[in-house]
Amino acid sequence: MNPETIGKNIRDARRRKEMTQAVLAGRMNVTESAISQWENGRTLPDPTIIPDLCAILDVSADWLLSVNAEKRAKEIEAIMKRVDALSRNGCRKETLPILEDAYLHYPESNEIARALMGTTEDLDRKMAIGERLLAECTESGYRASAMQQMIYAYRDKGNLSRAEELARQMPGLWTTSDVFLTHIAKGEKYRKQAQNLRFQLLNLLYEAMHYGIVYGDDETEASYNDDERAQVAQKCVALFELFFEDGDYTFHHGSLEEEYLDLAAWHARKGELEDALDCLGKAADHALSFIEYTESEPGSYHHTSLLFRGAAGGGDVGLGSEQNSASDVLDRMKKPDFDSLSETPAFREIKARLEAAAGPWHVAGT
C-alpha cells in the first residue's frame, strides 16, 4: 500500500464530505494530528479502523486503499475515449449521461470532473464541480481548466465578484507557458513553439474580434450597427488570409464559413445580390472544405503556409453539433435574409452542392 496515495484519498474524501480534520478526528476517536499524519502520507490508519473510516467518508475500502487502481485507470481511459469519439462527431449531448455516471463511480478522477464541467449546461453543477476540484486537486493543468470554466459560469450566473476573483488568479497574456516555452526554445523546438504561439494568438485575436461583437453583452452588441458588423466580418476574413496561403485554413474553414454567411446575409439585405451570392458560394466552399478536413486522418495534413509550414493537422476536431457544416449552411439559407436569392440559378446550384454533402459528421478516427 502506498501511504501517500491513501493519504490523498482520505483528504479528498473528507473534503468531498465538507468535513474538517477536527470533525473527522472526533468521529474516529483519534487526534487531529493523526488525521494530518494520514493525509500527508507519514503514517497509515490501523487496519482495524478502516471499515469505520470508510463508513464515515462514504467510500469503499477498495477505493480508499487504491485496490485495483490499475483496473480503474483503464476503465476511466476507456470512458474518456468513448466520450472523445462522441464529442468529435458532434454528439455532445450523448456524452453527458456517460460522464455523470462516470463521475458518480470515479469521483477521484480529475479528468472526468473536467470533462463533465465542459459538457454540462447546468451552471450550478459546473460551479460545484469546479469548487470541489479546486479544493482537492493540486495539478495546475486541471485547476486552470476548472477556473476557466468557472469564470464563465459565475459570470453567466451574475456573480461577477467571484468570476473576477478567479480571473485575477490566472496568468496574464505575457506570462503563459506558450510565451515562455517559445522564448527559451532553440532550433527546431523554437520553430514548433513559435508556430504554436502564433496559432494560439490567432485564435485569441479572432475570438476578440468576432465573438466579442457577435456574442458580447447587450451593451457591446448595441455599439455596432449592421454595417460595422459586416466590416468586422471582412476584417476576420482578412486576418485568416494574412496568416494562411493557398487555402491552408484547416479547421478555420469553419470560421470562414460563418464569416462569409454573415457577409452574404448583409449584402442580401442591402439588395446587393451578386455580392451576396459570391459570399454564399464562398461559405459553401469553406463548409465543404471543413468536412473534407475533418474526414482526414489526424496528422495526415501538413500546413504549407509560411508561418505554419510543416505543422501537422488533419482530423481530431471537436464539433459542437451532430449535423455537419453543409447542413448548417443549408439551415442558414432558409432564413428570410436569403429569400431574394432563393429562385436564382446560382442559389440553387449552391444548395445542390451542399445537399450532396449534408448529414452527420463522420470524423476520422472515430
Side-chain angles (χ1 to χ4, degrees):
M1 294 188 294
N2 186 317
E4 290 185 1
T5 301
I6 295 172
K8 179 181 181 301
N9 290 347
I10 294 172
R11 182 181 66 249
D12 291 348
R14 174 180 61 78
R15 287 176 174 174
R16 280 198 295 272
K17 299 289 286 185
E18 298 182 351
M19 188 183 300
T20 65
Q21 288 185 340
V23 170
L24 179 58
R27 295 188 62 179
M28 289 296 300
N29 198 28
V30 298
T31 66
E32 189 174 343
S33 175
I35 302 295
S36 177
Q37 293 284 321
W38 296 347
E39 293 188 357
N40 288 321
R42 297 192 182 97
T43 63
L44 286 170
D46 189 283
T48 61
I49 66 172
I50 292 294
D52 289 340
L53 181 59
C54 290
I56 292 170
L57 296 177
D58 195 22
V59 296
S60 70
D62 281 354
W63 179 82
L64 188 73
L65 302 176
S66 292
V67 176
N68 294 324
E70 185 176 340
K71 179 184 176 184
R72 292 173 71 86
K74 289 182 178 179
E75 290 171 346
I76 291 170
E77 182 181 5
I79 290 169
M80 293 310 301
K81 282 184 178 179
R82 183 183 175 196
V83 166
D84 182 59
L86 288 168
S87 297
R88 288 168 61 196
N89 279 286
C91 304
R92 285 176 57 85
K93 290 182 179 179
E94 295 180 28
T95 68
L96 183 56
I98 297 172
L99 288 168
E100 287 284 12
D101 182 69
Y103 188 59
L104 180 65
H105 287 87
Y106 307 99
E108 78 284 1
S109 172
N110 295 330
E111 188 175 11
I112 288 175
R114 178 171 62 182
L116 180 54
M117 282 188 71
T119 303
T120 182
E121 296 181 1
D122 183 335
L123 297 180
D124 291 320
R125 181 82 166 128
K126 191 187 295 282
M127 292 183 295
I129 296 170
E131 294 290 4
R132 175 174 163 180
L133 198 151
L134 288 185
E136 299 174 1
C137 177
T138 58
E139 296 177 62
S140 59
Y142 288 114
R143 291 178 61 84
S145 178
M147 289 170 67
Q148 177 184 3
Q149 296 184 63
M150 291 165 70
I151 288 166
Y152 295 125
Y154 278 113
R155 177 201 65 185
D156 293 343
K157 288 289 288 188
N159 189 344
L160 298 184
S161 61
R162 179 57 174 157
E164 183 174 344
E165 179 186 359
L166 290 168
R168 291 189 180 282
Q169 296 178 44
M170 302 292 278
L173 185 63
W174 289 104
T175 56
T176 62
S177 61
D178 292 317
V179 171
F180 289 127
L181 288 171
T182 301
H183 287 174
I184 65 176
K186 300 291 183 182
E188 179 64 11
K189 182 175 280 191
Y190 171 80
R191 186 182 69 84
K192 291 182 177 179
Q193 283 295 149
Q195 286 180 339
N196 178 65
L197 180 60
R198 291 174 199 137
F199 201 74
Q200 299 299 331
L201 290 173
L202 168 61
N203 292 333
L204 187 62
L205 181 56
Y206 174 63
E207 180 176 332
M209 291 171 64
H210 174 86
Y211 291 99
I213 294 169
V214 178
Y215 301 116
D217 57 42
D218 293 340
E219 184 178 341
T220 302
E221 292 184 30
S223 66
Y224 291 88
N225 61 39
D226 198 41
D227 288 347
E228 289 172 332
R229 287 169 180 264
Q231 289 179 40
V232 172
Q234 291 167 339
K235 290 178 184 295
C236 288
V237 170
L239 176 68
F240 289 119
E241 290 178 344
L242 175 66
F243 274 76
F244 300 104
E245 304 99 51
D246 306 321
D248 185 36
Y249 301 111
T250 59
F251 70 81
H252 288 114
H253 280 296
S255 301
L256 284 162
E257 166 208 322
E258 187 173 355
E259 301 303 335
Y260 275 117
L261 273 173
D262 288 344
L263 287 170
W266 175 70
H267 282 300
R269 289 193 295 271
K270 293 172 69 71
E272 299 166 351
L273 302 191
E274 186 174 337
D275 289 333
L277 287 167
D278 178 63
C279 288
L280 189 58
K282 289 177 179 176
D285 290 340
H286 285 293
L288 297 174
S289 294
F290 189 34
I291 293 172
E292 182 180 355
Y293 175 73
T294 62
E295 292 179 349
S296 61
E297 290 295 327
S300 64
Y301 183 93
H302 289 83
H303 282 280
T304 58
S305 298
L306 177 63
L307 295 177
F308 304 102
R309 185 183 297 155
D316 199 20
V317 179
L319 303 164
S321 62
E322 294 185 31
Q323 297 299 305
N324 64 24
S325 52
S327 302
D328 290 340
V329 178
L330 284 170
D331 286 342
R332 183 76 178 271
M333 289 169 67
K334 297 175 185 176
K335 301 287 185 181
D337 285 334
F338 297 107
D339 286 349
S340 59
L341 307 176
S342 60
E343 298 304 318
T344 64
F347 186 92
R348 290 197 293 268
E349 186 272 331
I350 293 170
K351 184 178 178 182
R353 282 200 295 139
L354 292 167
E355 287 175 338
W361 290 105
H362 297 291
V363 177
T366 62

